[in-house]
Amino acid sequence: MKQKTASEHFREKFGCKVYKLSLDGGMTCPNRDGTKGTGGCIYCSASGSGEFAEKLCGDIAFQIEKAKQRVKAKNKGGKYIAYFQSFSNTYAPKEYLKKLFYSAIEAEDIVGLSVATRPDCLPDEIIDLLDEINRLKPVIVELGFQTSNEATAEYIRRGYSNNEFLSAVGRLKSRGIEVVAHMIIGLPDETREDAIRTARFISESGADGIKFHLLHILKGTDLFKEYAEGRVKVLSLEEYTGILIDCIAELREDMVVHRLTGDGAKRGLVAPLWSADKKRVLNYIMKRI
């Protein structure tokens, strides 16, 4: 793999090992509050893809300290990035976000801010705020894109167009803000060629990095209902890895690969069960690469 990993990228950028602290900003999503829908994307859990984030409790400094305790054994002398992971973390009034984000980056050992959100939750005033913070400490915006196949996007209830994604990437990049796009391999009815096209689309969009996710089935999601009815199939480890390698080949060499696979919380995971053994999965993928 010619592209850098996130670990290599952050070490080069900050001069030391950096860990992300997954936080809960207390927000929701336009796909859940009735603006664009009420059920969320069909694969999304009740926690809004924030299974590993600290739960909303107390102030943000309290969450950060709790998150640090989870990684302190691995992070001796390293630094941290405050990572707002659950739901859409720019889907709130500017003043709320300003207080939240500034509090999150206040500590000296917090070297950056990472914000997971949607392209349709980035009005100009919020991009102005992110630009303001980026002048103090680096900001990374993660956009859940998932697929360039518009028919699949409609099926999974993504709720925005490819053009909205391209516009968001361009507006963020024009302010010097780092952009990471998420894509899912193994979406229902998608082929290997669909996945390759999505990787190529993200690369050509100008995004700085990418997170690859395996489609996994979680209890309580609408996708679980379809899986239980036999309407959705999941990939084997061998199939997933083969497609992943083809997708990486489509990326610009200057892009950063932030994740090679995604895993759901074991307590809610239905399929594929092989994804629960993350260490074995990553070892297999790296060997194949």
Side-chain angles (χ1 to χ4, degrees):
M1 186 170 75
K2 297 177 181 178
Q3 295 79 10
K4 293 176 186 173
T5 64
S7 179
E8 292 166 339
H9 172 60
F10 290 144
R11 186 174 289 278
E12 184 177 288
K13 190 179 185 77
F14 299 111
C16 62
K17 181 73 174 177
V18 176
Y19 280 85
K20 278 184 160 183
L21 303 176
S22 294
L23 310 169
D24 184 348
M27 280 160 267
T28 182
C29 171
N31 250 7
R32 289 178 177 268
D33 69 358
T35 302
K36 291 191 172 182
T38 55
C41 295
I42 63 169
Y43 52 77
C44 197
S45 66
S47 63
S49 299
E51 284 83 2
F52 304 108
E54 292 300 326
K55 302 310 173 192
L56 184 63
C57 54
D59 62 17
I60 199 64
F62 180 75
Q63 277 195 58
I64 287 173
E65 287 308 311
K66 281 190 69 180
K68 283 181 182 178
Q69 291 303 310
R70 294 177 64 177
V71 299
K72 68 176 183 178
K74 297 183 289 185
N75 193 31
K76 299 182 184 302
K79 303 293 185 180
Y80 303 95
I81 290 174
Y83 177 31
F84 288 92
Q85 181 177 23
S86 307
F87 300 106
S88 300
N89 291 282
T90 55
Y91 192 51
K94 180 179 179 179
E95 288 310 308
Y96 176 86
L97 294 174
K98 184 171 185 176
K99 181 179 179 181
L100 182 71
F101 294 160
Y102 269 90
S103 296
I105 66 167
E106 186 174 358
E108 187 176 340
D109 60 355
I110 304 292
V111 294
L113 174 71
S114 185
V115 180
T117 190
R118 295 163 54 97
D120 54 351
C121 294
L122 286 165
D124 289 342
E125 65 174 5
I126 301 303
I127 291 186
D128 288 343
L129 171 62
L130 296 172
D131 180 28
E132 179 182 308
I133 297 170
N134 192 48
R135 296 170 191 271
L136 301 174
K137 292 186 178 181
V139 173
I140 301 169
V141 174
E142 299 192 12
L143 299 176
F145 181 57
Q146 320 313 358
T147 179
S148 63
N149 185 320
E150 298 262 22
T152 306
E154 184 175 354
Y155 169 73
I156 64 175
R157 303 197 299 258
R158 189 178 71 185
Y160 59 84
S161 68
N162 288 353
N163 284 336
E164 286 177 275
F165 169 78
L166 291 174
S167 174
V169 173
R171 290 162 62 226
L172 290 164
K173 291 290 293 172
S174 72
R175 303 294 190 93
I177 297 171
E178 189 173 339
V179 180
V180 176
H182 292 231
M183 72 169 281
I184 297 176
I185 294 174
L187 286 165
D189 297 324
E190 285 211 340
T191 64
R192 178 185 294 260
E193 288 68 32
D194 285 316
I196 291 170
R197 278 192 288 270
T198 295
R200 185 184 305 132
F201 186 94
I202 290 172
S203 180
E204 293 174 351
S205 76
D208 301 282
I210 190 167
K211 280 188 172 181
F212 292 103
H213 298 267
L214 161 75
L215 180 73
H216 53 265
I217 315 296
L218 298 175
K219 293 177 184 175
T221 62
D222 289 345
L223 187 62
F224 170 67
K225 298 174 187 175
E226 297 195 10
Y227 177 78
E229 294 168 357
R231 296 162 56 191
V232 175
K233 298 186 182 302
V234 294
L235 298 173
S236 69
L237 174 57
E238 293 75 18
E239 290 171 326
Y240 176 80
T241 305
I243 298 171
L244 172 68
I245 290 171
D246 287 345
C247 288
I248 292 172
E250 295 295 325
L251 303 179
R252 305 188 320 270
E253 290 188 15
D254 66 323
M255 289 185 73
V256 178
V257 177
H258 286 256
R259 178 171 286 176
L260 290 169
T261 185
D263 56 323
K266 292 181 182 179
R267 64 183 177 274
L269 180 66
V270 176
L273 294 178
W274 58 260
S275 67
D277 190 350
K278 190 170 183 179
K279 184 176 181 180
R280 183 180 76 87
V281 170
L282 288 175
N283 285 340
Y284 177 82
I285 289 172
M286 290 308 297
K287 185 177 179 181
R288 285 279 305 273
I289 289 176

